[in-house]
Amino acid sequence: MSLKKITVTASGIYDVLIGGGLLRHCGGYIQNVTEAQKLAVITDDTVDSLYGKIVIDALENEGYDVCKFVFPHGEQSKSTETLAKIWNFLCENGISRSDCLVALGGGVVGDITGFAAATYLRGVDFVQLPTTLLAQVDSSVGGKTAVDLDGGKNLVGAFKQPKLVLCDTDTLDTLDEEIFVDGMGEVVKYGMIKSASLFSELEQYTTETLRKNKDVLDDIIAQCVTIKRDVVEADEFDTGERMLLNFGHTIGHSIEQYYNYTGITHGKAVGVGMKLITAVAEDNGMAEPGTYGRLKNCLSYYGLDNDVEPTPAQLAGGCINDKKRFGGNINIIICCDIGASMIKKMPVEAFFAMLAEYTE
Ligand code: NAD
Ligand code: GLY
């Protein structure tokens, strides 16, 4: 199986490599992008037990002095408390300005390690070794880093591009079905916002058939990273086109909040968000007829077709704190057709009224 390479040119230039077996060779790849003598691997307990040794061995084989910080898995660890522990760990282990952090894990590890790299000693290098589908297609690329506050997710963060992203797609074999499916929500999103051909390809598979077909899955991950790369290059700091990546997320976040971040996964909530906004768009003449039906069917192939309890009106209320809200206006992402999306700025009240009148 051949490796795929996608180069991102933003405030930093770096490669995203995609393929099997990359973790075993990560030391050599990291040597090509940093002068570091010491590496600090940051990971969670689940990923550490699966891949910690492989990565530490691969780094030590290249002569690196390696230290490792492990925190409990889960979103609750993406906190200022864990961040402070990471800062102190880096200091205690003598990590200097010329050294490098290694984020080994899903989006939680990537986001907090990236933010530690952005802030420790006013900035040190970091590389991403993403091990979930969501992290490989989305969070490891593009330089958004953050931690959560009690008041909401990702409220403190920075833009900090990694020096390298190694997507070892063999790691996806050990993912629980639910976590794999969560990443598929973002994959379907990429097809919807930017690529009719990717979407058509997704219509031919299911979770089961895609997981068995590694070459196809690697190629789909590469298509997603290419789309994300193009969007990030056009709008690194999220003031315009990058908001398209938020398709389905405004309502999705509202659903996650309604269920207290426990009753429904992020991917499923985004799936409901994408469906609802597309149904509203189609009914209001803003999307091609049939767009909603194809989206609904495609989501169902990946187990993302669940219904939720809150009504559209209740969900509208939950969108009030969305980061895409500016004063009295909110930016809504609409897919006018499969593979074609736009940002529609509308008064918050008009958005609420549109949703409130809507019943699926
Ligand atoms: P996660 O990092 O919590 O990983 C999910 C679970 O999978 C964890 O329990 C983890 O231990 C486990 N895991 C990871 N890799 C595994 C593997 N290969 N095999 C078995 N288990 C494995 O969650 P996630 O879905 O990867 O990421 C979600 C986070 O990403 C959220 O905090 C979200 O805000 C963030 N995010 C950031 C961006 C961005 O642009 N920075 C984009 C999207 C999401
Ligand atoms: N995941 C959204 C973004 O990177 O902008």
Side-chain angles (χ1 to χ4, degrees), residues 11-322:
S11 48
I13 300 177
Y14 56 97
D15 290 334
V16 182
L17 300 184
I18 298 160
L22 281 165
L23 288 190
R24 287 182 196 287
H25 303 287
C26 64
Y29 287 111
I30 290 174
Q31 245 172 12
N32 293 335
V33 299
T34 169
E35 301 285 309
Q37 305 286 312
K38 282 190 182 178
L39 301 176
V41 175
I42 316 291
T43 189
D44 72 30
D45 52 356
T46 304
V47 178
D48 182 43
S49 66
L50 291 164
Y51 303 109
K53 184 169 174 4
I54 294 173
V55 168
I56 300 285
D57 286 352
L59 299 176
E60 288 181 344
N61 283 345
E62 294 300 326
Y64 280 116
D65 181 359
V66 187
C67 57
K68 181 177 75 173
F69 181 88
V70 182
F71 60 77
H73 65 276
E75 185 71 31
Q76 68 283 357
S77 284
K78 212 174 98 177
S79 63
T80 51
E81 289 78 14
T82 311
L83 178 67
K85 286 181 187 163
I86 294 173
W87 283 329
N88 284 315
F89 171 84
L90 299 175
C91 182
E92 283 154 18
N93 283 276
I95 296 295
S96 72
R97 288 287 293 274
S98 59
D99 293 325
C100 182
L101 313 192
V102 177
L104 170 65
V108 165
V109 170
D111 277 13
I112 196 166
T113 306
F115 191 54
T119 47
Y120 178 70
L121 302 180
R122 299 199 184 88
V124 294
D125 288 346
F126 83 116
V127 300
Q128 292 263 22
L129 309 183
T131 61
T132 63
L133 181 60
L134 181 140
Q136 296 191 354
V137 299
D138 189 357
S139 60
S140 65
V141 179
K144 279 191 184 175
T145 73
V147 293
D148 303 334
L149 297 181
D150 290 344
K153 282 177 66 173
N154 299 322
L155 290 185
V156 181
F159 287 96
K160 168 88 177 168
Q161 300 294 342
K163 299 297 280 185
L164 175 71
V165 182
L166 298 179
C167 299
D168 185 335
T169 50
D170 287 345
T171 62
L172 304 181
D173 292 347
T174 53
L175 278 184
D176 285 352
E177 172 101 348
E178 190 167 70
I179 296 168
F180 183 89
V181 159
D182 227 28
M184 283 308 300
E186 305 297 339
V187 173
V188 172
K189 176 196 78 179
Y190 284 115
M192 282 297 289
I193 62 169
K194 282 284 178 185
S195 174
S197 59
L198 169 61
F199 191 90
S200 300
E201 208 177 333
L202 295 173
E203 288 178 312
Q204 296 166 35
Y205 294 95
T206 62
T207 306
E208 202 190 345
T209 56
L210 197 54
R211 289 194 87 169
K212 281 186 187 146
N213 210 328
K214 287 197 97 165
D215 286 350
V216 174
L217 181 58
D218 282 14
D219 183 66
I220 284 174
I221 292 169
Q223 289 185 58
C224 294
V225 170
T226 303
I227 293 170
K228 179 135 192 196
R229 185 270 311 273
D230 293 346
V231 170
V232 167
E233 286 185 353
D235 175 28
E236 180 175 356
F237 298 110
D238 205 13
T239 56
E241 182 172 350
R242 191 163 179 168
M243 290 182 210
L244 294 177
L245 299 174
N246 209 39
F247 176 54
H249 283 59
T250 300
I251 294 169
H253 289 153
S254 177
I255 294 169
E256 285 185 278
Q257 199 181 315
Y258 179 90
Y259 287 107
N260 245 331
Y261 297 93
T262 50
I264 188 165
T265 65
H266 174 74
K268 286 184 173 165
V270 168
V272 175
M274 291 193 287
K275 276 194 297 180
L276 179 54
I277 201 71
T278 303
V280 171
E282 199 172 309
D283 288 350
N284 286 277
M286 292 184 275
E288 285 296 314
T291 309
Y292 169 77
R294 281 183 71 190
L295 171 63
K296 184 175 160 59
N297 287 338
C298 188
L299 287 169
S300 75
Y301 306 149
Y302 299 99
L304 292 163
D305 53 345
N306 55 303
D307 291 320
V308 290
E309 203 176 74
T311 62
Q314 284 170 317
L315 292 176
C319 299
I320 204 140
N321 288 325
D322 191 86

Side-chain angles (χ1 to χ4, degrees), residues 250-251 254 277 280 312-332 344-357:
T250 300
I251 294 169
S254 177
I277 201 71
V280 171
Q314 284 170 317
L315 292 176
C319 299
I320 204 140
N321 288 325
D322 191 86
K323 288 204 281 307
K324 301 295 175 281
R325 183 180 168 198
F326 300 94
N329 291 314
I330 189 163
N331 287 315
I332 304 301
K344 192 168 171 59
K345 189 176 189 171
M346 47 164 72
V348 175
E349 294 310 325
F351 175 60
F352 284 5
M354 195 169 80
L355 281 187
E357 274 173 25

